[in-house]
Amino acid sequence: MDGCFDLMHYGHANALRQAKALGDELVVGLVSDEEIVTNKGPPVLSMEERLALVSGLKWVDEVIADAPYAITEEFMNRLFNEHKIDYIIHGDDPCLLPDGSDAYALAKKVGRYKQIKRTEGVSSTDIVGRILASMEDNKDNQVQLDEELNETKKSAETFLKSKHASNFLPTSRRIVQFSNAKGPGPNARVVYIDGAFDLFHAGHVEILKSARQLGDFLLVGLHTDQIVSEQRGIHFPLMHLHERSLSVLACRYVDEVIIGAPLEITKDMITTFNISLVVHGTVCESKSSFNGQPDPYSVPKSMGIFKMLESPKKITTTSVAQRIKANHEIYEKRNAKKEASEKKFYEERKYISGD
């Protein structure tokens, strides 16, 4: 299965999960930066960042970097002969080349094409739209927004719902599909890391990898939307709790998540989950350490089980959003076109079985 996997989200992860279920090994072709620029415009994430995200997914066995945007006969034969590919996979949404032709026509012609179901309610276009909407939010007076947030938490929730509406409908089945479905062994060293993990990016993958190496079982606490808003500002999170949960669960270094973890880590929580070590990255967007709030890590620190972990990358959710904001005119124009085609797809689509 190939793709750009720019602004990688749980929809991409679910596509790769479905693709893996069709066979024994999943090889992913990652389209080069140059090919994306030519066919779609500038990518938000670099090849290095996209490679970290795709390689970090638990269903991916191999990645071919710098894959072409269009599957040519030459590249297709290379896939069949060198990489021993049996089938080429794509979602049920149309993928057209700039000239209007079907990108997978050759694979279909030779009978080596299989289709999976597109994940409803999310797309990179949708996420760019949310970021651009949050940019509009920021034009308002920040002091006024902070006052509104302090005045009532309900206004923050209403604000988020109206401005950053998500069409994703979470189900228990989807969470089960993404879950490892097993707990830690009796003598396992359980490592705990918490955070927002909003707009899941390469920095998240690398810090989770580092955390997992410190034990046998990695438990990730995902803060509620309300906590994230209080810590980062009213325009966050860009992805709601269930969306963020799936993105984290899809990561190969993660064993389990707490969906809606508290900010403060208590003694009871440490006992309940048998946590041996609590870690926190050096790169953090939370305001809690600067506004006089109590230290949420005071209990694990007093127990001698807290460790600061050097964040391997400096990338943050805000820095990714800033890239889009810096080129907002390009993305606004591109999004308007893509939103129209996505609307048409959803209006015309029919039910397709599968998951």
Side-chain angles (χ1 to χ4, degrees):
M1 187 167 191
D2 63 359
C4 302
F5 301 105
D6 196 21
L7 282 183
M8 182 124 188
H9 51 71
Y10 60 90
H12 292 134
N14 193 44
L16 294 169
R17 180 193 65 79
Q18 291 178 79
K20 176 65 182 271
L22 294 174
D24 304 303
E25 284 198 26
L26 177 62
V27 179
V28 178
L30 199 54
V31 177
S32 70
D33 291 344
E34 294 76 21
E35 287 272 285
I36 296 174
V37 169
T38 303
N39 290 279
K40 298 177 79 169
V44 178
L45 305 179
S46 67
M47 168 57 83
E48 182 198 2
E49 291 166 339
R50 293 185 291 118
L51 189 58
L53 281 162
V54 174
S55 302
L57 279 178
K58 59 186 172 188
W59 300 289
V60 175
D61 298 293
E62 183 188 338
V63 180
I64 301 171
D66 297 323
Y69 189 78
I71 297 179
T72 60
E73 195 161 356
E74 181 192 351
F75 183 68
M76 188 170 70
N77 289 330
R78 193 181 130 201
L79 291 176
F80 295 157
N81 300 322
E82 289 180 31
H83 297 278
K84 308 301 179 191
I85 301 292
D86 292 296
Y87 291 101
I88 292 169
I89 318 293
H90 188 63
D92 59 7
D93 51 319
C95 184
L96 304 178
L97 298 173
D99 65 3
S101 62
D102 182 354
Y104 295 92
L106 283 173
K108 289 175 182 176
K109 188 179 175 184
V110 296
R112 304 282 282 271
Y113 175 82
K114 284 193 177 184
Q115 188 170 280
I116 54 159
K117 190 174 179 179
R118 173 177 165 147
T119 304
E120 299 92 343
V122 68
S123 67
S124 298
T125 306
D126 165 51
I127 294 166
V128 168
R130 296 188 209 185
I131 293 167
L132 292 172
S134 78
M135 189 173 132
E136 290 298 314
D137 303 344
N138 282 333
K139 287 179 182 175
D140 297 327
N141 186 294
Q142 188 60 48
V143 175
Q144 187 183 335
L145 289 176
D146 286 342
E147 283 174 1
E148 283 176 13
L149 184 57
N150 291 332
E151 204 174 295
T152 168
K153 287 168 184 174
K154 283 185 181 176
S155 69
E157 289 168 10
T158 307
F159 185 96
L160 284 163
K161 281 174 187 171
S162 63
K163 293 283 187 175
H164 305 140
S166 166
N167 296 316
F168 175 60
L169 301 173
T171 61
S172 58
R173 179 171 165 76
R174 181 71 76 228
I175 292 170
V176 169
Q177 288 168 338
F178 274 56
S179 171
N180 287 353
K182 61 181 181 210
N187 300 311
R189 181 172 164 82
V190 178
V191 179
Y192 180 76
I193 185 169
D194 64 353
F197 294 94
D198 194 17
L199 205 63
F200 199 72
H201 54 67
H204 292 139
V205 176
E206 297 299 338
I207 195 73
L208 291 171
K209 182 180 181 180
S210 297
R212 182 63 175 80
Q213 289 168 348
L214 297 173
D216 310 303
F217 190 92
L218 182 60
L219 175 65
V220 181
L222 283 150
H223 294 152
T224 63
D225 295 346
Q226 185 178 313
I227 287 173
V228 178
S229 294
E230 289 170 359
Q231 295 296 311
R232 298 192 179 184
I234 203 165
H235 48 285
F236 287 106
L238 294 163
M239 311 291 284
H240 70 58
L241 179 59
H242 285 98
E243 294 177 304
R244 293 184 283 118
S245 298
L246 289 180
S247 292
V248 173
L249 272 174
C251 182
R252 66 170 70 246
Y253 307 112
V254 175
D255 295 289
E256 179 67 293
V257 302
I258 297 174
I259 303 171
L263 189 64
E264 183 188 355
I265 299 165
T266 63
K267 177 75 171 66
D268 182 61
M269 189 174 155
I270 290 166
T271 304
T272 299
F273 292 101
N274 196 26
I275 295 167
S276 304
L277 183 67
V278 175
V279 299
H280 189 58
T282 51
V283 172
C284 176
E285 294 190 88
S286 169
K287 298 185 293 187
S288 61
S289 54
F290 305 108
N291 60 4
Q293 288 186 9
D295 182 0
Y297 302 102
S298 60
V299 171
K301 282 177 181 177
S302 69
M303 294 171 68
I305 60 166
F306 179 81
K307 180 182 174 71
M308 282 300 290
L309 210 51
E310 185 66 37
S311 297
K313 291 185 182 292
K314 301 301 178 192
I315 182 175
T316 64
T317 300
T318 303
S319 71
V320 173
Q322 288 295 349
R323 297 179 197 180
I324 290 167
K325 292 175 183 180
N327 297 291
H328 68 95
E329 288 179 3
I330 296 170
Y331 289 110
E332 276 172 352
K333 190 175 178 183
R334 189 164 91 188
N335 249 39
K337 187 179 176 184
K338 290 192 77 177
E339 280 170 356
S341 66
E342 284 193 4
K343 187 183 177 195
K344 186 171 183 284
F345 166 74
Y346 277 112
E347 283 173 351
E348 295 177 355
R349 80 187 182 101
K350 292 179 173 60
Y351 173 75
I352 292 174
S353 64
D355 53 13

